[in-house]
Each structure stands twice: as structure tokens, then as C-alpha cells.
């Protein structure tokens, strides 16, 4: 039985980038449908199923953030999403992660890197079921959509870096995420900075931070979040 190629939705208002990316992804074995704006993308998603969506953030009219938010509330809510943007500000990255983006790549980008990120996300999506809306950890509850960690009625304050890290781990609950990926997907930038944020986050979550049961170290890889 021949395996169907993954179907990718490419949304970008720049004709050149959209066409070149579609051509490159197709050459790499993906099936690609393209849209020049959010409205066209919505029409495609109403009639076709996609394994992954690549959304440009800076589009005229409805931007990529708004389109992503709409996807996460609709029937295709579990579709993995990569955001593309010319803006490299930390606040944009945080906003994308808060809305449920799976990855974030700044323009200009190497097409080969985009392919590798697509392949990694698709492998991860095949392995894991959609994450729960809320994750419980020793009496604490984390809601990735709201970006909120609570102990009973008390909200636990998280820094932007801690929230980014916990959100990514929560969206891959039970699965190891490499330190390299965590450095790329958060504002940490360096793997060493990821380790520092993990230590700080453990102090807020773990019953005994010196013997963590929720944010576990996976030797030679990185970290994984284990809910109750």
C-alpha cells in the first residue's frame, strides 16, 4: 500500500515566496495547496484536510495570528502550524506560541530548514494524540491555551521565558523535546539558557525540585513533561 504524501497548506501574500516554497516542498515529496490570504486559506480548509499549515504572519487584511486563532477554534484545531514572519521580535514569537503555533521561522529562511521543520512536526504529530486542554501536575493545573498555571484558585506567576518553555513541553506531553529545539522555539536562544529556565520552572511546579517528577531530564536529548 502506497503511503499518501503529507498535505501542506502554504499561506503567504508574497507571490514569489509562496510559489518558490510550494515548488520546493513539492519537489521534496509533499502535496501542497497554496493561498494568498486568510480568506482563501479558510475556503481551502473547509473543503480539504491538511496535515500541516504554514502561515505568513504579516498579510494584508487578516494576519497570520488571527488565522491561527481561528484554526485553533475550528474543526481543524489539531492541525500543526508553522508561522513565517519577517519580524523577529520575542513578543511575536510568544504571541504565536500562546495562540498554539507548533513552530516559528523568521524570514528570510533556508527552504531546506523549512523542510526539516515540517518533517519533524509531522513525525511528532503521528506519534502523539492531541494534548489535553489542561494538564495536572501535583495539584497544579496548566492551561496551554490561556497560558495560565494555577494552584487551586491561586495563579502562579510565570515569566515569558518560563511560559514559552512550559507551553512547548505541554504540547508534547510525555514526549522528549530536545534542548536544541527548545532553544530554537523559545527566546532562550542557547541550550544553556534552556537549562536555567527548566531549573526555575521546577522550583514553581515540582514537590521536590531536586527530584523532579514532572519536568524530567531525558539523558542525551533534553526534557519531557509528565503530567499526573
Amino acid at each position: 500500500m502506497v503511503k499518501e504524501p503529507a498535505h501542506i497548506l502554504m499561506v503567504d501574500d508574497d507571490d514569489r515566496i509562496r510559489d518558490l516554497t510550494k515548488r520546493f516542498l513539492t519537489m521534496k515529496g509533499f502535496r501542497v495547496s497554496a493561498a494568498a490570504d486568510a480568506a482563501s486559506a479558510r475556503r481551502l480548509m473547509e473543503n480539504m484536510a491538511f496535515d500541516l499549515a504554514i502561515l505568513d504572519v504579516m498579510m494584508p487584511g487578516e494576519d497570520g495570528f488571527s488565522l491561527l486563532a481561528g484554526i485553533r477554534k475550528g474543526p481543524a484545531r489539531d492541525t500543526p502550524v508553522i508561522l513565517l514572519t519577517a519580524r523577529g521580535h520575542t513578543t511575536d514569537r510568544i504571541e504565536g506560541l500562546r495562540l498554539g503555533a507548533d513552530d516559528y521561522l523568521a524570514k528570510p529562511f533556508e527552504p531546506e530548514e523549512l523542510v526539516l521543520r515540517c518533517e519533524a512536526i509531522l513525525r511528532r504529530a503521528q506519534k502523539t494524540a492531541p494534548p489535553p486542554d489542561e494538564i495536572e501536575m501535583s495539584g497544579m493545573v496548566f492551561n496551554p491555551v490561556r497560558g495560565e498555571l494555577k494552584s487551586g484558585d491561586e495563579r502562579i506567576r510565570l515569566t515569558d521565558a518560563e511560559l514559552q518553555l512550559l507551553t512547548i513541553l505541554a504540547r508534547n506531553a510525555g514526549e522528549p523535546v530536545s534542548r536544541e529545539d527548545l532553544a530554537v522555539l523559545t527566546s532562550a536562544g542557547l541550550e544553556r539558557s534552556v537549562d536555567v529556565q527548566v531549573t526555575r520552572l521546577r522550583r514553581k511546579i515540582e514537590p521536590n525540585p531536586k527530584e523532579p517528577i514532572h519536568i524530567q531530564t531525558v539523558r542525551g536529548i533534553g526534557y519531557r513533561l509528565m503530567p499526573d
Side-chain angles (χ1 to χ4, degrees):
M1 183 177 179
V2 178
K3 183 180 178 181
E4 288 289 324
H7 192 185
I8 296 177
L9 173 62
M10 174 68 192
V11 188
D12 197 309
D13 65 299
D14 187 310
D15 294 343
R16 179 176 173 276
I17 291 176
R18 187 177 65 252
D19 292 344
L20 286 174
T21 304
K22 178 179 179 179
R23 194 178 311 161
F24 192 83
L25 290 172
T26 301
M27 185 177 67
K28 291 296 183 177
F30 296 105
R31 178 187 171 201
V32 184
S33 296
D37 53 38
S40 300
R42 290 181 186 278
R43 285 194 292 272
L44 287 174
M45 296 191 83
E46 287 174 0
N47 294 288
M48 290 186 283
F50 293 94
D51 299 294
L52 173 67
I54 302 171
L55 312 181
D56 180 34
V57 168
M58 298 183 69
M59 295 187 291
E62 184 180 5
D63 65 16
F65 288 144
S66 176
L67 178 56
L68 170 59
I71 290 173
R72 288 292 175 254
K73 294 176 183 176
R77 64 176 62 87
D78 297 324
T79 303
V81 172
I82 296 176
L83 289 180
L84 298 179
T85 179
R87 297 183 295 186
H89 300 303
T90 300
T91 52
D92 290 336
R93 192 184 315 190
I94 293 172
E95 178 67 5
L97 292 171
R98 187 185 69 80
L99 292 171
D102 296 85
D103 205 346
Y104 196 105
L105 190 58
K107 295 178 179 179
F109 58 87
E110 291 293 333
E112 194 67 47
E113 181 180 0
L114 178 60
V115 168
L116 291 173
R117 289 174 182 263
C118 288
E119 291 174 344
I121 288 175
L122 290 167
R123 282 196 304 270
R124 201 179 306 147
Q126 289 173 355
K127 288 184 193 175
T128 60
D133 293 335
E134 292 187 336
I135 289 178
E136 297 185 14
M137 300 168 288
S138 297
M140 292 189 178
V141 177
F142 178 62
N143 186 305
V145 176
R146 292 200 296 267
E148 186 177 79
L149 177 66
K150 298 184 77 173
S151 177
D153 294 329
E154 178 188 0
R155 182 166 181 170
I156 308 300
R157 183 184 176 280
L158 297 173
T159 66
D160 287 341
E162 290 166 351
L163 176 57
Q164 290 177 49
L165 178 63
L166 185 55
T167 298
I168 293 168
L169 290 173
R171 294 193 183 284
N172 297 278
E175 291 291 321
V177 183
S178 73
R179 293 165 74 242
E180 181 182 6
D181 283 349
L182 290 170
V184 170
L185 295 173
T186 70
S187 57
L190 299 172
E191 293 180 26
R192 190 179 308 164
S193 300
V194 170
D195 297 335
V196 172
Q197 297 304 328
V198 166
T199 298
R200 292 175 177 171
L201 199 52
R202 280 171 171 167
R203 290 174 187 155
K204 297 182 178 182
I205 291 174
E206 301 286 355
N208 181 356
K210 293 182 179 180
E211 297 182 5
I213 59 175
H214 296 299
I215 303 178
Q216 300 179 352
T217 300
V218 182
R219 190 178 299 276
I221 300 178
Y223 300 96
R224 69 179 165 205
L225 181 68
M226 296 300 293
D228 288 344

